[in-house]
Amino acid sequence: MRRLLLALALALLAAAVALPAAAEELRGLIDALGRGTFADREKAIAALAGSGEPAAAPVIEALGAGNLYVRTGDGAVLLARGSALVDPLTNAAAGSVSDSGIERIRVNNRLRRAIDAALGSLTLLSPDPATRLEAAAAVFKSRDPGALPTLEKALAAETNPEVAAALGEARAAALLFSDASEAEKLEAVKVIRARGDREALSLLGMVAAQGPGPVADAASSGVRAIERVLAVWEAGQNVWYGLSLGSVLLLAAIGLAITFGVMGVINMAHGEMVMLGAYTTFVVQEAIRSTAPWLFDASLLVALPLAFLVAGAVGIAIERGIIRFLYGRPLETLLATWGLSLILQQGVRSIFGPTNREVGAPSWMSGWFEIGHLTITHNRLWIIAFALLVFAGLSLVLRRTSFGLQMRAVVQNRNMASAMGIRTPWIDALTFGLGSSIAGIAGVALSQIDNVSPNLGQGYIIDSFMVVVFGGVGNLWGTLFGAAALGIVNKFLEPYAGAVLGKILVLVFIIIFIQKRPRGLFALKGRAVEA
C-alpha cells in the first residue's frame, strides 16, 4: 500500500513539473512567430502545428487574420481582440494595439499557404467529420509534406469513407512533393488521377513539369486522361447551360407562339408582358416584406397567379382596344405594338423609376449541388421544371378543353370556324390574353435570374421570335424543340465566338434555314380556306 501511495505521489509530482515545462515550450513556439524573416516564421508555423496542442490553432488563425502582434521589448507574441491585447495562453489582458512598442506580425502569400496547411493538419484529427473533410481539402491544396505524419495517423483512425478518400488524396498530394520513393510517388499519381477534377489536373501538371522520369511521365499521362474526361463533362455542362437558357427562351416565347400562330399578329409588346410579370413579383415581395416577412419563401407562389391575371388583363385590353382594328395589316400592327411597348416601358419608369429593382430568391431556390463535375444551381433547376410544367399545362388546355378546341379550329380555318358558330373575335381576345398571361408568369421566373427593370422584356423579344419562327409558327412542340436547340447551340458557340457573335451566327443560321423551310421545323397543317 505504501509503495502504491509513493508511486502515485511521484506521478503527481512529475505531472506538476511537466505541465509548466510544456506550457513554456508552447509559449516559446508561439513567440517564435514574431522573430526573424518570413522563412523563419514559416518554420515556426510548422513547429507550432507539429506540437498538436489545441491552443496552437487559434494562434495560427489569428496570424492569418492579421490579429497577432509582437511586443518589441521582450518579444512576446500577443493576440488582438478588437483593440485590446491578451496573452494567447492565459487570456490575461496585455495592453492595447495602440501602445508603443507593439507591432503587427506581417504575413505574405507563402506564409498564408503555410498557415492553411498548418490549420489543416491541426484539424485532421477533429471529432467532427465535416471539419476533417475541410482539413483534408486544405492539406491537398497546400501539398505540405510536413503534414504526412498527421495524415498517416488520421487515415489509420478514419472510419468515414468520404473523409478517408479525401485524406488519401491529401496524402498523395503531399507525397508527390516530398522525398518519398519513386514507387510511392507513382502510386500517388494514380490516386490523384482517379480524382479527375481540375485541381488534380493542375497538381499533375506541376509534377509533369518537374523534369523527365517515370513519375513525370505518369503525371503527363494522367494529365491527358483527365483532360479527356473533363472535356466530356464540359460538354455536358454546356448542354445543361443550354437547356437552362432554352427554358428561359421557352417561357418567353411560348405565349408568343400562341398569339402569332392564331392571329398572325407580330406583337412587339410581348416583352413588356414579361416585364409586367416581373414587376408584379417585385410588388408582391415588397408587400410581404413590410407586412408578413415570415411568408417571404411563399412570395413567388403568391406572385404567379397575380402576374397571370395582371398580364392577361393588359393583353385583353390591348387586343380589344388596338389589335382588333388592325387584323390583316401586319405593318401597322408591328408599328402599333412597338409604340405600345415604349408607352408601357415609360409608364413603368414613371411608377417604379428607371433603376433595377431587387427581387429576392426564396430559400428553396438558393444554393447549388454537383453531379460528378456538373454544377447544378437550384434556381435554374426550378425554372426548367417550371417551364416544362407550363408547357404541359398549356398543351392540356389546347387539347382537352373546349376553348383549346375552338382555338385550334380558328388556327386551321378561321372562316369555317366562324361558320360553325365559333365567336372568332372573342377567341382572338382570349388567345391574346392567354399568351400575355403566360408571358406574365414567365416574368416571375425571369425575375430570379435577370435584372428587373423597364427594359427586361426587350432582351427576350428578338430571341422569342427566332424560337417561334425556327420551331414552326403556332406549334408548341416546335417552340419547345426550337428553344432547347437554340439555347444549346448558343452555349456551345459562346466559348469560341463570344456571346454577341454567337447570337449573330445563330441569327444567320435561322435566316438561311427559313429560306429552305419558310414554315419552320414543325409547320401546322390545315385547309387554310381563307388563304
Side-chain angles (χ1 to χ4, degrees):
M1 186 67 178
R2 287 181 180 178
R3 290 180 180 179
L4 182 60
L5 291 174
L6 180 60
L8 182 59
L10 289 173
L12 291 173
L13 180 62
V17 172
L19 284 174
E24 285 303 318
E25 183 182 355
L26 182 58
R27 187 175 297 279
L29 293 175
I30 293 173
D31 288 345
L33 296 173
R35 297 193 297 267
T37 62
F38 286 127
D40 295 329
R41 289 174 189 167
E42 185 176 0
K43 294 177 182 177
I45 291 169
L48 185 59
S51 69
E53 292 287 342
V59 175
I60 297 175
E61 286 179 356
L63 177 62
N67 293 328
L68 215 58
Y69 291 77
V70 61
R71 192 162 52 204
T72 56
D74 57 1
V77 170
L78 303 171
L79 186 65
R81 289 180 180 166
S83 60
L85 292 173
V86 298
D87 186 289
L89 293 180
T90 64
N91 287 326
S96 170
V97 295
S98 59
D99 293 344
S100 60
I102 299 294
E103 293 182 1
R104 187 195 300 269
I105 301 176
R106 294 183 298 129
V107 296
N108 58 11
N109 288 336
R110 183 172 177 178
L111 277 186
R112 293 188 189 282
R113 288 193 293 271
I115 289 168
D116 290 340
L119 289 173
S121 64
L122 279 170
T123 51
L124 285 171
L125 300 173
S126 168
D128 180 22
T131 303
R132 297 198 302 274
L133 197 61
E134 291 178 5
V139 175
F140 181 88
K141 290 180 181 178
S142 67
R143 309 177 299 276
D144 180 21
L148 280 171
T150 312
L151 280 168
E152 298 284 1
K153 185 177 178 182
L155 265 171
E158 188 57 61
T159 57
N160 186 303
E162 183 182 4
V163 179
L167 289 171
E169 292 166 357
R171 176 181 176 275
L175 280 173
L176 288 174
F177 293 88
S178 70
D179 56 357
S181 66
E182 185 178 281
E184 287 179 310
K185 289 188 176 182
L186 287 173
E187 194 63 33
V189 168
K190 291 180 182 178
V191 173
I192 301 301
R193 176 174 175 170
R195 176 177 170 129
D197 61 2
R198 295 202 174 276
E199 289 184 346
L201 179 65
S202 175
L203 193 150
L204 290 181
M206 287 188 284
V207 174
Q210 289 179 351
V215 176
D217 292 342
S220 298
S221 175
V223 166
R224 291 191 293 272
I226 292 175
E227 284 177 342
R228 288 193 295 269
V229 172
L230 289 180
V232 175
W233 281 106
E234 187 174 352
Q237 188 74 66
N238 282 334
V239 170
W240 166 255
Y241 288 151
L243 290 175
S244 175
L245 175 60
S247 67
V248 173
L249 295 178
L250 177 64
L251 284 173
I254 194 168
L256 189 65
I258 300 172
T259 305
F260 197 16
V262 173
M263 293 173 287
V265 174
I266 304 175
N267 179 21
M268 296 302 293
H270 184 77
E272 278 54 54
M273 301 300 105
V274 176
M275 175 196 67
L276 289 178
Y279 272 97
T280 301
T281 309
F282 166 72
V283 172
V284 168
Q285 287 197 351
E286 287 298 297
I288 288 177
R289 281 192 180 105
S290 59
T291 59
W294 59 89
L295 292 177
F296 185 81
D297 278 352
S299 58
L300 295 188
L301 302 179
V302 176
L304 279 173
L306 291 177
F308 185 90
L309 294 174
V310 168
V314 172
I316 291 175
I318 292 172
E319 198 281 334
R320 290 287 85 189
I322 299 174
I323 301 299
R324 71 189 181 103
F325 300 110
L326 300 175
Y327 287 133
R329 298 155 63 185
L331 182 59
E332 286 89 340
T333 304
L334 187 150
L335 292 174
T337 53
W338 179 65
L340 183 62
S341 73
L342 297 180
I343 293 172
L344 290 172
Q345 288 181 45
Q346 190 56 48
V348 168
R349 284 192 185 93
S350 301
I351 297 172
F352 297 100
T355 57
N356 295 341
R357 290 295 181 172
E358 179 187 359
V359 173
S363 59
W364 47 273
M365 287 191 71
S366 303
W368 55 276
F369 62 93
E370 289 186 348
I371 301 177
H373 297 298
L374 291 182
T375 301
I376 310 295
T377 56
H378 289 169
N379 60 348
R380 292 282 183 174
L381 183 62
W382 278 109
I383 288 175
I384 290 177
F386 178 68
L388 293 176
L389 185 63
V390 171
F391 177 84
L394 191 57
S395 298
L396 191 65
V397 168
L398 293 181
R399 298 196 173 274
R400 301 298 183 200
T401 67
S402 60
F403 169 65
L405 179 64
Q406 294 178 24
M407 184 190 303
R408 286 185 289 126
V410 173
V411 171
Q412 291 185 9
N413 194 314
R414 177 179 296 272
N415 290 339
M416 183 61 71
S418 179
M420 294 295 294
I422 296 176
R423 302 177 62 184
T424 56
W426 277 109
I427 294 298
D428 289 339
L430 293 176
T431 302
F432 202 94
L434 179 62
S436 299
S437 296
I438 295 173
I441 60 176
V444 177
L446 294 181
S447 69
Q448 300 299 302
I449 60 173
D450 208 339
N451 294 324
V452 177
S453 69
N455 299 320
L456 172 64
Q458 292 300 301
Y460 295 97
I461 186 66
I462 301 301
D463 288 339
S464 297
F465 272 110
M466 285 199 297
V467 168
V468 171
V469 172
F470 176 64
V473 176
N475 190 305
L476 291 186
W477 285 102
T479 304
L480 175 64
F481 181 84
L486 293 183
I488 292 172
V489 169
N490 261 311
K491 288 303 176 182
F492 271 97
L493 286 177
E494 280 181 9
Y496 307 101
V500 176
L501 184 57
K503 281 185 177 292
I504 293 173
L505 291 176
V506 170
L507 180 60
V508 171
F509 165 75
I510 290 178
I511 292 173
I512 296 173
F513 176 81
I514 293 302
Q515 299 299 314
K516 300 294 183 182
R517 291 182 65 93
R519 300 179 68 185
L521 280 175
F522 302 95
L524 290 176
K525 297 178 181 180
R527 296 184 180 87
V529 174
E530 71 274 18

